[in-house]
């Protein structure tokens, strides 16, 4: 008799439509392949992700698929699973000893930056004052390369933009956190031509809301990453300052 393999899947969170689509795809694929699947949620929390890794060890799963956001917890999770001889696939955030599954983040950033530069050239003759980047520091350098790639994409099409100010602010990858961070930025910044990019859609949409609240939507153009339902809905809204969102197609993960 063939052994029926049991997989452990730790989802990022149910908070985001992106991670819900990743979970749905994994759940469907496991069912189609005849695999048992134990699903736990990391709840966007490092502590919870570590506890979930310990649960997978106690449950004797054959493989773990790990989708957690905090780079700082990756080595601890890796140690727990490695000591139990459980192989791991890490989604989006690298983990020591795990197979990495994620986008080419810098390339995604280049796509976003070029689109942002095109909008700047078309509407502002290639002139802008600030480049505002909604960061997610806890995720580490790999997701951040979406933003550094965006800078490179803008400078590729607008070579004289190297002197413009680049601001990284922490939006924590969430709508509300990014809304608050952008509000603070706008209170101390009077620039009239601001290009903006978010590490994901919720951060970008939160910051765009701050521009709308302050009556300064006309001062910005924005790009984001993931191509989620919320971003696509915003792109269809008349007058939106969102230029585009780079599609990551989570339903195919």
């Amino acid at each position: 008799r063939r052994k029926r393999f049991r997989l452990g899947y730790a989802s990022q969170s149910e908070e985001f439509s992106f991670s819900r689509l990743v979970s749905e795809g994994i759940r469907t694929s496991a069912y189609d392949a005849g695999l048992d699947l134990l699903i736990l949620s990391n709840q966007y929390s490092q502590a919870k992700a570590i506890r979930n890794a310990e649960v997978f060890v106690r449950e004797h799963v054959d493989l773990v698929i790990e989708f957690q956001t905090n780079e700082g917890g990756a080595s601890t999770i890796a140690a727990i699973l490695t000591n139990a001889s459980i192989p791991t696939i890490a989604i989006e955030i690298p983990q020591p000893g795990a197979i990495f599954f994620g986008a080419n983040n810098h390339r995604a950033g280049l796509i976003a930056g070029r689109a942002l530069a095109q909008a700047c050239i078309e509407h502002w003759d290639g002139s802008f004052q600030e480049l505002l980047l909604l960061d997610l520091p806890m995720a580490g350098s790999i997701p951040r390369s979406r933003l550094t790639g965006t800078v490179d994409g803008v400078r590729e099409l607008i070579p004289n933009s190297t002197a413009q100010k680049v601001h990284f602010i922490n939006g924590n990858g969430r709508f509300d956190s990014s809304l608050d961070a952008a509000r603070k930025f706008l209170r101390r910044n009077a620039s009239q031509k601001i290009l903006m990019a978010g590490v994901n859609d919720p951060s970008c949409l939160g910051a765009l809301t701050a521009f709308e609240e302050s009556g300064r939507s006309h001062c910005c153009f924005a790009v984001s990453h993931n191509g989620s339902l919320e971003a696509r809905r915003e792109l269809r809204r008349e007058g939106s300052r969102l230029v585009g969102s780079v599609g990551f197609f989570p339903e195919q993960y």
Side-chain angles (χ1 to χ4, degrees):
R1 295 174 57 188
R2 292 179 59 192
K3 176 184 176 181
R4 187 177 175 94
F5 286 101
R6 193 179 194 207
L7 274 59
Y9 168 56
S11 70
Q12 180 190 41
S13 167
E14 296 306 301
E15 176 182 347
F16 309 108
S17 63
F18 181 89
S19 51
R20 290 197 299 271
L21 281 172
V22 172
S23 298
E24 184 179 320
I26 289 175
R27 188 182 297 111
T28 301
S29 295
Y31 177 82
D32 291 344
L35 302 170
D36 289 333
L37 183 65
L38 172 60
I39 301 176
L40 303 174
S41 175
N42 286 329
Q43 300 175 10
Y44 214 60
S45 162
Q46 175 178 328
K48 184 65 175 177
I50 292 171
R51 289 197 294 272
N52 285 341
E54 293 169 343
V55 171
F56 289 140
V57 171
R58 290 198 298 272
E59 292 292 326
H60 303 290
V61 299
D62 298 298
L63 171 76
V64 166
I65 302 172
E66 184 69 54
F67 188 6
Q68 66 91 29
T69 310
N70 201 308
E71 185 188 48
S75 58
T76 302
I77 294 168
I80 292 169
L81 298 175
T82 300
N83 288 341
S85 299
I86 300 174
T88 307
I89 297 170
I91 298 177
E92 298 290 350
I93 308 299
Q95 185 170 295
I99 293 173
F100 174 71
F101 183 93
N104 183 327
N105 287 280
H106 186 265
R107 184 181 177 190
L110 282 174
I111 294 170
R114 289 165 182 160
L116 196 56
Q118 288 283 8
C120 180
I121 292 167
E122 180 180 348
H123 296 280
W124 292 341
D125 295 323
S127 172
F128 69 96
Q129 297 165 287
E130 319 272 352
L131 181 53
L132 177 63
L133 304 167
L134 279 298
D135 200 4
L136 178 57
M138 71 176 181
S141 61
I142 300 300
R144 195 186 209 213
S145 62
R146 299 176 191 175
L147 300 179
T148 55
T150 301
V151 176
D152 293 340
V154 169
R155 289 176 173 172
E156 178 183 296
L157 297 190
I158 310 177
N160 61 352
S161 66
T162 53
Q164 269 69 20
K165 295 179 180 177
V166 177
H167 305 273
F168 286 88
I169 62 175
N170 183 8
N172 197 37
R174 285 173 154 158
F175 182 96
D176 291 342
S177 302
S178 299
L179 172 61
D180 290 341
R183 281 171 175 164
K184 292 174 184 176
F185 173 83
L186 290 172
R187 281 198 290 267
R188 63 177 186 270
N189 189 293
S191 294
Q192 296 298 302
K193 293 182 178 181
I194 301 172
L195 299 182
M196 182 171 67
V199 70
N200 60 11
D201 291 326
S203 59
C204 191
L205 296 175
L208 280 172
T209 300
F211 275 88
E212 289 182 13
E213 284 182 350
S214 63
R216 293 173 64 186
S217 289
H218 63 283
C219 297
C220 80
F221 286 108
V223 293
S224 61
H225 290 84
N226 286 166
S228 67
L229 175 63
E230 294 84 356
R232 300 197 303 274
R233 186 181 297 124
E234 173 65 22
L235 285 166
R236 290 193 293 271
R237 188 173 66 88
E238 186 176 354
S240 174
R241 306 301 280 187
L242 183 65
V243 172
S245 178
V246 183
F248 282 48
F249 306 101
E251 68 279 3
Q252 297 181 16
Y253 277 35

